[in-house]
Amino acid sequence: VVMSVFMVQRSLKDIPMEQLAAAQQRAIATAEEMRSSGESVRYIRSAFVPETGQCNCLFEAKDREQVGRLNDKAGIPYDRIVPALDLSP
């Protein structure tokens, strides 16, 4: 399975930090559940801008639809999912 990176863009203006942390934990747990049932998908990391509420989360997956299913299953709202490059050193 060829894996690609996708960025999930979210608008989470005024979200309390506990809710943000809980959403991140749900993304991680849901990715683990999906992997244990044979799907190749992984949560990588998130970046959140408190001032604007912009949140970008990176996932590794086979396709955009898989990332959408993960976020829908975890109950985390999103605006769009786009192919991305993870440029971590």
Side-chain angles (χ1 to χ4, degrees):
V1 175
V2 175
M3 302 289 282
S4 300
V5 174
F6 295 91
M7 180 184 293
V8 177
Q9 299 175 324
R10 314 177 195 281
S11 302
L12 301 175
K13 187 94 172 113
D14 301 323
I15 189 173
M17 285 301 112
E18 320 78 72
Q19 281 184 31
L20 184 65
Q24 182 184 37
Q25 290 307 311
R26 287 198 312 277
I28 293 166
T30 305
E32 286 173 3
E33 279 172 29
M34 290 172 73
R35 265 200 320 280
S36 70
S37 67
E39 292 197 62
S40 299
V41 63
R42 182 174 71 92
Y43 167 81
I44 300 172
R45 80 176 124 295
S46 298
F48 179 68
V49 182
E51 194 174 289
T52 64
Q54 182 183 355
C55 186
N56 293 319
C57 303
L58 294 178
F59 291 84
E60 189 176 46
K62 67 179 173 72
D63 57 37
R64 183 189 318 238
E65 291 71 25
Q66 191 177 41
V67 177
R69 280 198 314 280
L70 186 154
N71 282 272
D72 292 340
K73 200 174 197 180
I76 310 168
Y78 56 90
D79 301 321
R80 62 191 205 135
I81 300 170
V82 293
L85 299 174
D86 182 4
L87 302 177
S88 299

Coordinates of all heavy atoms in Angstrom, one line a residue:
V1 N 0.9 -1.2 0.0 CA 0.0 0.0 0.0 C 0.9 1.2 0.0 O 1.7 1.4 0.9 CB -0.9 0.0 1.3 CG1 -1.7 1.3 1.3 CG2 -1.8 -1.2 1.3
V2 N 0.7 2.1 -1.0 CA 1.4 3.4 -1.0 C 0.7 4.3 -0.1 O -0.5 4.6 -0.2 CB 1.5 3.9 -2.5 CG1 2.1 5.3 -2.5 CG2 2.2 2.9 -3.4
M3 N 1.5 4.9 0.8 CA 1.0 5.8 1.8 C 1.3 7.3 1.4 O 2.4 7.5 0.9 CB 1.5 5.6 3.2 CG 1.3 4.2 3.7 SD -0.4 3.9 4.1 CE -0.4 4.7 5.7
S4 N 0.3 8.2 1.6 CA 0.5 9.6 1.3 C 0.2 10.4 2.6 O -0.5 9.8 3.5 CB -0.4 10.0 0.2 OG -0.1 9.3 -1.0
V5 N 0.6 11.6 2.6 CA 0.3 12.5 3.7 C -0.9 13.4 3.3 O -0.9 13.9 2.2 CB 1.5 13.3 4.2 CG1 1.1 14.3 5.2 CG2 2.6 12.4 4.7
F6 N -1.8 13.6 4.2 CA -2.9 14.5 4.0 C -3.1 15.5 5.1 O -2.8 15.1 6.3 CB -4.2 13.7 3.9 CG -4.3 12.8 2.6 CD1 -3.8 11.5 2.7 CD2 -4.7 13.3 1.4 CE1 -3.8 10.7 1.6 CE2 -4.7 12.5 0.3 CZ -4.2 11.2 0.4
M7 N -3.4 16.7 4.8 CA -3.6 17.7 5.9 C -5.1 17.9 6.0 O -5.8 18.2 5.0 CB -3.0 19.1 5.5 CG -3.2 20.1 6.6 SD -2.5 21.7 6.1 CE -0.8 21.3 6.1
V8 N -5.6 17.8 7.2 CA -7.0 18.1 7.6 C -7.0 19.5 8.1 O -6.4 19.8 9.1 CB -7.5 17.1 8.6 CG1 -9.0 17.4 8.9 CG2 -7.4 15.7 8.0
Q9 N -7.8 20.4 7.4 CA -7.9 21.8 7.8 C -9.2 21.9 8.6 O -10.2 21.5 8.1 CB -7.8 22.7 6.6 CG -6.5 22.5 5.9 CD -6.4 23.3 4.6 OE1 -7.4 23.5 3.9 NE2 -5.2 23.9 4.3
R10 N -9.1 22.6 9.8 CA -10.2 22.8 10.7 C -10.3 24.2 11.1 O -9.3 24.8 11.3 CB -10.1 21.9 11.9 CG -9.7 20.5 11.7 CD -9.6 19.8 13.1 NE -8.9 18.5 13.0 CZ -9.4 17.4 12.5 NH1 -10.6 17.3 12.1 NH2 -8.6 16.3 12.5
S11 N -11.5 24.6 11.4 CA -11.8 25.9 12.1 C -12.3 25.6 13.4 O -13.5 25.2 13.6 CB -12.8 26.8 11.3 OG -12.3 26.9 9.9
L12 N -11.5 25.9 14.5 CA -11.9 25.5 15.8 C -11.8 26.8 16.7 O -11.4 26.7 17.9 CB -11.0 24.4 16.4 CG -11.0 23.1 15.6 CD1 -10.0 22.1 16.2 CD2 -12.4 22.5 15.5
K13 N -12.3 27.9 16.2 CA -12.3 29.1 17.0 C -12.9 29.0 18.4 O -14.0 28.4 18.5 CB -13.0 30.2 16.2 CG -12.9 31.6 16.8 CD -11.7 32.4 16.2 CE -11.7 33.8 16.6 NZ -10.5 34.1 17.5
D14 N -12.2 29.4 19.4 CA -12.7 29.4 20.8 C -12.9 28.1 21.4 O -13.6 27.9 22.4 CB -14.1 30.2 20.9 CG -13.9 31.7 20.5 OD1 -12.8 32.3 20.7 OD2 -14.8 32.2 19.8
I15 N -12.3 27.0 20.8 CA -12.4 25.7 21.4 C -11.6 25.7 22.7 O -10.4 26.2 22.7 CB -11.9 24.6 20.4 CG1 -12.2 23.2 21.0 CG2 -10.4 24.7 20.1 CD1 -11.9 22.1 20.1
P16 N -12.1 25.2 23.8 CA -11.4 25.1 25.0 C -10.2 24.1 24.8 O -10.4 23.1 24.1 CB -12.4 24.5 26.1 CG -13.7 24.8 25.5 CD -13.5 24.8 24.0
M17 N -9.1 24.3 25.5 CA -7.9 23.5 25.3 C -8.2 22.0 25.7 O -7.7 21.1 25.0 CB -6.7 24.0 26.2 CG -6.0 25.2 25.6 SD -5.4 24.9 23.9 CE -6.5 26.0 22.9
E18 N -9.1 21.8 26.7 CA -9.4 20.4 27.0 C -10.1 19.7 25.9 O -9.9 18.5 25.6 CB -10.3 20.2 28.3 CG -10.1 21.2 29.4 CD -10.6 22.6 29.2 OE1 -11.9 22.8 29.2 OE2 -9.8 23.5 29.0
Q19 N -11.0 20.4 25.2 CA -11.7 19.8 24.1 C -10.7 19.5 22.9 O -10.9 18.5 22.2 CB -12.8 20.7 23.6 CG -14.1 20.6 24.5 CD -15.2 21.5 23.9 OE1 -15.3 21.6 22.7 NE2 -16.0 22.0 24.8
L20 N -9.8 20.4 22.7 CA -8.8 20.2 21.7 C -8.0 19.0 21.9 O -7.7 18.2 21.1 CB -7.9 21.5 21.5 CG -6.9 21.5 20.4 CD1 -7.5 21.4 19.0 CD2 -5.9 22.7 20.5
A21 N -7.5 18.9 23.2 CA -6.7 17.7 23.6 C -7.5 16.4 23.5 O -7.0 15.4 23.0 CB -6.2 17.9 25.0
A22 N -8.8 16.5 23.8 CA -9.7 15.3 23.7 C -9.9 14.9 22.2 O -9.9 13.7 21.9 CB -11.0 15.6 24.4
A23 N -10.0 15.9 21.4 CA -10.2 15.6 19.9 C -8.9 14.9 19.4 O -9.0 14.0 18.6 CB -10.5 16.9 19.2
Q24 N -7.7 15.4 19.8 CA -6.5 14.8 19.4 C -6.4 13.4 19.9 O -6.0 12.5 19.1 CB -5.3 15.6 19.9 CG -4.0 15.0 19.5 CD -2.8 15.7 20.1 OE1 -2.8 16.1 21.2 NE2 -1.7 15.9 19.3
Q25 N -6.8 13.1 21.1 CA -6.8 11.7 21.6 C -7.7 10.8 20.8 O -7.4 9.7 20.6 CB -7.1 11.7 23.1 CG -6.0 12.3 24.0 CD -4.7 11.7 23.8 OE1 -4.5 10.5 23.8 NE2 -3.7 12.5 23.6
R26 N -8.9 11.4 20.5 CA -9.8 10.6 19.6 C -9.2 10.3 18.3 O -9.4 9.2 17.8 CB -11.2 11.3 19.5 CG -12.0 11.3 20.8 CD -13.5 11.6 20.5 NE -13.7 12.8 19.7 CZ -13.7 14.0 20.1 NH1 -13.5 14.3 21.3 NH2 -14.0 15.0 19.2
A27 N -8.5 11.2 17.7 CA -7.9 11.0 16.4 C -6.9 9.9 16.5 O -6.8 9.0 15.6 CB -7.2 12.3 15.8
I28 N -6.0 9.9 17.5 CA -5.0 8.9 17.7 C -5.6 7.5 18.0 O -5.3 6.5 17.3 CB -4.1 9.3 18.9 CG1 -3.3 10.5 18.6 CG2 -3.2 8.1 19.3 CD1 -2.6 11.2 19.8
A29 N -6.6 7.5 18.9 CA -7.3 6.2 19.2 C -8.0 5.6 18.0 O -8.0 4.4 17.7 CB -8.3 6.4 20.4
T30 N -8.7 6.5 17.2 CA -9.4 6.0 16.0 C -8.5 5.5 15.0 O -8.7 4.4 14.4 CB -10.3 7.1 15.5 OG1 -11.2 7.6 16.5 CG2 -11.2 6.6 14.3
A31 N -7.3 6.1 14.8 CA -6.3 5.6 13.9 C -5.8 4.3 14.3 O -5.7 3.3 13.5 CB -5.2 6.6 13.7
E32 N -5.6 4.1 15.6 CA -5.1 2.8 16.1 C -6.2 1.7 15.9 O -5.9 0.6 15.5 CB -4.8 2.9 17.6 CG -3.5 3.7 17.9 CD -3.2 3.9 19.3 OE1 -4.0 3.5 20.2 OE2 -2.2 4.6 19.6
E33 N -7.5 2.1 16.2 CA -8.6 1.1 15.9 C -8.6 0.7 14.5 O -8.7 -0.5 14.2 CB -9.9 1.8 16.2 CG -10.3 1.8 17.7 CD -11.6 2.7 17.8 OE1 -12.4 2.7 16.9 OE2 -11.8 3.3 18.9
M34 N -8.5 1.7 13.6 CA -8.6 1.3 12.1 C -7.4 0.5 11.7 O -7.5 -0.4 10.9 CB -8.7 2.6 11.3 CG -10.0 3.4 11.5 SD -10.1 5.0 10.7 CE -10.1 4.6 8.9
R35 N -6.2 0.8 12.3 CA -5.0 0.0 12.0 C -5.2 -1.5 12.5 O -4.8 -2.4 11.8 CB -3.7 0.6 12.6 CG -3.0 1.5 11.6 CD -1.6 1.7 12.0 NE -1.3 1.9 13.4 CZ -1.5 3.1 14.0 NH1 -1.9 4.1 13.4 NH2 -1.2 3.2 15.3
S36 N -5.8 -1.6 13.7 CA -5.9 -3.0 14.2 C -6.9 -3.8 13.4 O -6.9 -5.0 13.4 CB -6.3 -2.9 15.7 OG -7.6 -2.4 15.8
S37 N -7.8 -3.1 12.6 CA -8.7 -3.8 11.7 C -8.2 -3.9 10.3 O -8.9 -4.1 9.4 CB -10.1 -3.2 11.8 OG -10.1 -1.9 11.2
G38 N -6.9 -3.6 10.1 CA -6.2 -3.8 8.9 C -6.0 -2.6 7.9 O -5.5 -2.8 6.8
E39 N -6.5 -1.5 8.4 CA -6.3 -0.3 7.5 C -5.0 0.4 7.8 O -4.6 0.5 8.9 CB -7.5 0.7 7.8 CG -8.8 0.2 7.3 CD -9.8 1.4 7.1 OE1 -9.6 2.3 6.3 OE2 -10.8 1.3 7.9
S40 N -4.3 0.9 6.8 CA -3.1 1.6 6.9 C -3.4 3.1 7.0 O -3.6 3.7 6.0 CB -2.2 1.3 5.7 OG -1.9 0.0 5.6
V41 N -3.4 3.6 8.2 CA -3.7 5.0 8.5 C -3.0 5.4 9.8 O -2.9 4.6 10.7 CB -5.2 5.3 8.5 CG1 -5.9 4.6 9.6 CG2 -5.5 6.8 8.5
R42 N -2.5 6.6 9.8 CA -1.7 7.0 11.0 C -1.9 8.5 11.2 O -1.8 9.3 10.3 CB -0.2 6.7 10.8 CG 0.7 7.0 12.0 CD 2.1 6.5 11.7 NE 2.8 7.3 10.7 CZ 3.6 8.3 10.9 NH1 3.8 8.7 12.2 NH2 4.2 8.9 9.9
Y43 N -2.1 8.9 12.5 CA -2.1 10.3 12.9 C -0.7 10.7 13.0 O 0.1 10.0 13.7 CB -2.9 10.5 14.2 CG -2.7 11.8 14.8 CD1 -3.5 12.9 14.4 CD2 -1.8 12.0 15.8 CE1 -3.3 14.2 15.0 CE2 -1.6 13.3 16.4 CZ -2.4 14.4 16.0 OH -2.2 15.6 16.6
I44 N -0.3 11.9 12.5 CA 1.1 12.3 12.6 C 1.2 13.4 13.7 O 1.9 13.2 14.7 CB 1.7 12.8 11.2 CG1 1.6 11.7 10.2 CG2 3.1 13.3 11.4 CD1 2.0 12.1 8.8
R45 N 0.6 14.5 13.4 CA 0.6 15.6 14.4 C -0.3 16.7 14.0 O -0.9 16.7 12.9 CB 2.1 16.2 14.5 CG 2.5 17.1 13.5 CD 3.8 17.7 13.7 NE 4.8 17.5 12.6 CZ 5.3 16.4 12.1 NH1 4.9 15.3 12.7 NH2 6.1 16.4 11.1
S46 N -0.5 17.7 14.9 CA -1.4 18.8 14.7 C -0.7 20.1 15.0 O 0.2 20.1 15.8 CB -2.6 18.8 15.5 OG -3.4 17.6 15.2
A47 N -1.1 21.2 14.3 CA -0.6 22.5 14.7 C -1.9 23.4 14.8 O -2.8 23.3 14.0 CB 0.2 23.1 13.6
F48 N -2.0 24.1 15.9 CA -3.2 24.9 16.3 C -2.8 26.4 16.5 O -1.8 26.6 17.2 CB -3.8 24.3 17.5 CG -5.1 25.1 18.0 CD1 -6.2 25.1 17.2 CD2 -5.1 25.8 19.1 CE1 -7.4 25.8 17.6 CE2 -6.2 26.5 19.6 CZ -7.4 26.5 18.8
V49 N -3.6 27.3 15.9 CA -3.3 28.7 16.1 C -4.5 29.3 17.0 O -5.6 29.5 16.4 CB -3.3 29.4 14.7 CG1 -3.0 30.9 14.9 CG2 -2.3 28.8 13.8
P50 N -4.3 29.5 18.3 CA -5.3 29.9 19.2 C -6.0 31.2 18.7 O -7.2 31.4 18.8 CB -4.6 30.1 20.5 CG -3.4 29.2 20.4 CD -3.0 29.2 19.0
E51 N -5.2 32.1 18.2 CA -5.7 33.4 17.8 C -6.8 33.4 16.7 O -7.8 34.1 16.8 CB -4.5 34.3 17.3 CG -4.8 35.8 17.2 CD -3.6 36.5 16.8 OE1 -2.7 36.7 17.7 OE2 -3.5 37.0 15.7
T52 N -6.6 32.4 15.8 CA -7.6 32.3 14.7 C -8.5 31.1 14.8 O -9.5 31.0 14.1 CB -6.9 32.3 13.3 OG1 -6.1 31.1 13.3 CG2 -6.0 33.5 13.1
G53 N -8.1 30.1 15.6 CA -8.8 28.9 15.7 C -8.4 27.9 14.5 O -9.0 26.8 14.4
Q54 N -7.5 28.3 13.7 CA -7.1 27.4 12.6 C -6.3 26.2 13.2 O -5.4 26.4 14.0 CB -6.2 28.1 11.6 CG -5.8 27.3 10.4 CD -4.9 28.0 9.4 OE1 -4.6 29.2 9.6 NE2 -4.4 27.3 8.5
C55 N -6.7 25.0 12.7 CA -6.0 23.8 13.2 C -5.7 22.9 11.9 O -6.6 22.7 11.1 CB -6.9 23.0 14.1 SG -6.1 21.6 14.9
N56 N -4.5 22.5 11.8 CA -4.1 21.6 10.7 C -3.5 20.4 11.3 O -2.6 20.4 12.1 CB -3.0 22.3 9.8 CG -3.6 23.5 9.0 OD1 -4.7 23.5 8.5 ND2 -2.8 24.6 9.0
C57 N -4.1 19.2 10.8 CA -3.7 17.9 11.3 C -3.1 17.1 10.2 O -3.8 17.1 9.1 CB -4.8 17.2 12.0 SG -5.6 18.2 13.3
L58 N -2.0 16.5 10.4 CA -1.4 15.6 9.4 C -1.7 14.1 9.7 O -1.6 13.7 10.8 CB 0.1 15.8 9.3 CG 0.6 17.2 8.8 CD1 2.1 17.3 8.9 CD2 0.1 17.5 7.4
F59 N -2.1 13.4 8.6 CA -2.3 12.0 8.7 C -1.6 11.3 7.5 O -1.5 11.9 6.5 CB -3.8 11.7 8.5 CG -4.7 12.1 9.7 CD1 -5.1 13.4 9.7 CD2 -5.0 11.3 10.7 CE1 -5.9 13.9 10.8 CE2 -5.8 11.7 11.8 CZ -6.2 13.0 11.8
E60 N -1.2 10.1 7.7 CA -0.6 9.3 6.7 C -1.7 8.2 6.4 O -2.2 7.6 7.3 CB 0.7 8.6 7.2 CG 1.4 7.9 6.1 CD 2.7 7.4 6.6 OE1 2.7 6.7 7.7 OE2 3.8 7.6 5.9
A61 N -2.0 8.1 5.1 CA -3.1 7.2 4.7 C -3.0 6.8 3.2 O -2.2 7.4 2.5 CB -4.5 7.8 4.9
K62 N -3.8 5.8 2.8 CA -3.8 5.5 1.4 C -4.5 6.5 0.5 O -4.1 6.7 -0.6 CB -4.2 4.0 1.2 CG -5.7 3.8 1.4 CD -6.0 2.3 1.2 CE -7.4 1.9 1.6 NZ -8.5 2.4 0.8
D63 N -5.5 7.1 1.1 CA -6.3 8.1 0.3 C -7.0 9.1 1.2 O -7.2 8.9 2.4 CB -7.2 7.5 -0.7 CG -8.2 6.5 -0.1 OD1 -8.7 6.8 1.0 OD2 -8.5 5.5 -0.7
R64 N -7.5 10.1 0.6 CA -8.3 11.2 1.3 C -9.5 10.6 1.9 O -9.9 11.1 3.0 CB -8.6 12.2 0.2 CG -9.3 13.5 0.7 CD -9.8 14.3 -0.4 NE -8.9 14.4 -1.5 CZ -8.4 15.6 -2.0 NH1 -8.8 16.7 -1.5 NH2 -7.6 15.6 -3.0
E65 N -10.2 9.7 1.3 CA -11.4 9.1 1.8 C -11.2 8.4 3.2 O -12.0 8.5 4.1 CB -12.1 8.2 0.8 CG -12.6 8.8 -0.4 CD -11.6 9.4 -1.4 OE1 -10.4 8.9 -1.4 OE2 -11.9 10.3 -2.1
Q66 N -10.1 7.8 3.3 CA -9.7 7.1 4.5 C -9.5 8.1 5.6 O -10.0 7.8 6.8 CB -8.4 6.3 4.3 CG -8.1 5.3 5.4 CD -6.9 4.5 5.1 OE1 -5.9 5.0 4.5 NE2 -6.9 3.2 5.4
V67 N -8.9 9.2 5.3 CA -8.7 10.2 6.4 C -10.1 10.8 6.8 O -10.3 11.1 7.9 CB -7.7 11.3 5.8 CG1 -7.6 12.5 6.9 CG2 -6.4 10.7 5.5
G68 N -10.9 11.0 5.8 CA -12.3 11.5 6.1 C -13.0 10.6 7.0 O -13.7 11.0 7.9
R69 N -13.0 9.3 6.7 CA -13.7 8.3 7.5 C -13.1 8.3 8.9 O -13.9 8.2 9.9 CB -13.5 6.9 6.9 CG -14.4 6.5 5.8 CD -14.5 5.0 5.5 NE -13.2 4.3 5.5 CZ -12.4 4.2 4.5 NH1 -12.7 4.9 3.4 NH2 -11.3 3.5 4.6
L70 N -11.8 8.4 9.1 CA -11.2 8.5 10.4 C -11.8 9.7 11.2 O -12.2 9.5 12.3 CB -9.7 8.6 10.3 CG -8.9 8.5 11.6 CD1 -7.5 8.0 11.4 CD2 -8.8 9.8 12.4
N71 N -11.8 10.8 10.6 CA -12.3 12.0 11.3 C -13.8 12.0 11.6 O -14.2 12.4 12.6 CB -11.9 13.3 10.5 CG -10.4 13.6 10.7 OD1 -10.1 14.3 11.6 ND2 -9.5 13.1 9.9
D72 N -14.5 11.4 10.6 CA -16.0 11.3 10.8 C -16.2 10.3 12.0 O -17.1 10.6 12.9 CB -16.7 10.8 9.6 CG -16.7 11.8 8.4 OD1 -16.5 13.0 8.7 OD2 -16.8 11.4 7.3
K73 N -15.5 9.2 12.0 CA -15.7 8.2 13.1 C -15.3 8.8 14.4 O -15.9 8.5 15.4 CB -14.7 7.0 12.7 CG -15.0 5.7 13.3 CD -14.1 4.7 12.7 CE -14.6 3.3 13.0 NZ -13.7 2.3 12.5
A74 N -14.2 9.6 14.4 CA -13.8 10.2 15.7 C -14.7 11.4 16.1 O -14.5 11.9 17.2 CB -12.3 10.7 15.5
G75 N -15.5 11.9 15.2 CA -16.4 13.0 15.5 C -15.7 14.3 15.6 O -16.1 15.2 16.4
I76 N -14.7 14.5 14.7 CA -14.0 15.8 14.7 C -14.3 16.5 13.4 O -14.1 16.0 12.3 CB -12.4 15.5 14.8 CG1 -12.1 14.5 16.0 CG2 -11.7 16.8 15.0 CD1 -10.7 14.0 15.9
P77 N -14.9 17.7 13.6 CA -15.3 18.5 12.4 C -14.0 18.9 11.6 O -13.0 19.2 12.1 CB -16.0 19.7 12.9 CG -15.5 19.8 14.3 CD -15.1 18.5 14.8
Y78 N -14.2 19.1 10.3 CA -13.1 19.6 9.4 C -13.7 20.3 8.2 O -14.9 20.1 7.9 CB -12.2 18.4 8.9 CG -12.9 17.3 8.2 CD1 -13.1 17.4 6.8 CD2 -13.4 16.2 8.9 CE1 -13.7 16.3 6.1 CE2 -14.0 15.2 8.2 CZ -14.2 15.2 6.9 OH -14.8 14.2 6.2
D79 N -12.9 21.2 7.7 CA -13.3 22.0 6.5 C -12.9 21.3 5.2 O -13.7 21.3 4.3 CB -12.7 23.4 6.6 CG -13.1 24.1 7.8 OD1 -14.3 24.0 8.2 OD2 -12.3 24.8 8.4
R80 N -11.7 20.8 5.2 CA -11.3 20.1 4.0 C -10.1 19.3 4.3 O -9.4 19.4 5.2 CB -11.0 21.0 2.8 CG -10.0 22.1 3.0 CD -10.0 23.1 1.9 NE -8.7 23.7 1.7 CZ -8.0 23.9 0.6 NH1 -8.6 23.6 -0.5 NH2 -6.8 24.4 0.6
I81 N -9.8 18.3 3.3 CA -8.7 17.4 3.4 C -7.9 17.5 2.1 O -8.5 17.4 1.0 CB -9.2 15.9 3.6 CG1 -10.0 15.8 4.9 CG2 -8.0 15.0 3.6 CD1 -10.7 14.5 5.1
V82 N -6.6 17.9 2.2 CA -5.8 18.1 1.0 C -4.5 17.3 1.1 O -4.0 17.1 2.2 CB -5.5 19.6 0.9 CG1 -6.8 20.4 0.6 CG2 -4.8 20.2 2.1
P83 N -4.0 16.9 0.0 CA -2.7 16.2 -0.1 C -1.7 17.2 0.4 O -1.8 18.4 0.2 CB -2.5 15.9 -1.5 CG -3.9 15.9 -2.2 CD -4.6 16.9 -1.4
A84 N -0.7 16.7 1.2 CA 0.4 17.6 1.8 C 1.7 16.9 1.8 O 1.8 15.7 1.5 CB 0.0 18.0 3.2
L85 N 2.7 17.6 2.1 CA 4.1 17.1 2.3 C 4.5 17.4 3.7 O 4.4 18.5 4.2 CB 5.1 17.7 1.3 CG 4.8 17.6 -0.2 CD1 5.8 18.4 -1.0 CD2 4.9 16.1 -0.6
D86 N 4.9 16.3 4.4 CA 5.4 16.5 5.8 C 6.9 16.8 5.6 O 7.7 15.9 5.3 CB 5.2 15.2 6.6 CG 5.6 15.4 8.0 OD1 6.0 16.5 8.4 OD2 5.5 14.4 8.8
L87 N 7.3 18.0 5.9 CA 8.7 18.5 5.8 C 9.4 18.5 7.1 O 10.4 19.4 7.2 CB 8.7 19.8 5.1 CG 8.0 19.9 3.7 CD1 8.0 21.3 3.1 CD2 8.6 18.9 2.7
S88 N 9.1 17.7 8.0 CA 9.8 17.6 9.3 C 11.3 17.3 9.0 O 11.6 16.4 8.2 CB 9.2 16.5 10.2 OG 7.9 16.9 10.5
P89 N 12.2 17.9 9.8 CA 13.6 17.6 9.6 C 14.0 16.2 10.0 O 13.3 15.6 10.9 CB 14.4 18.6 10.4 CG 13.4 19.1 11.4 CD 12.0 18.9 10.8

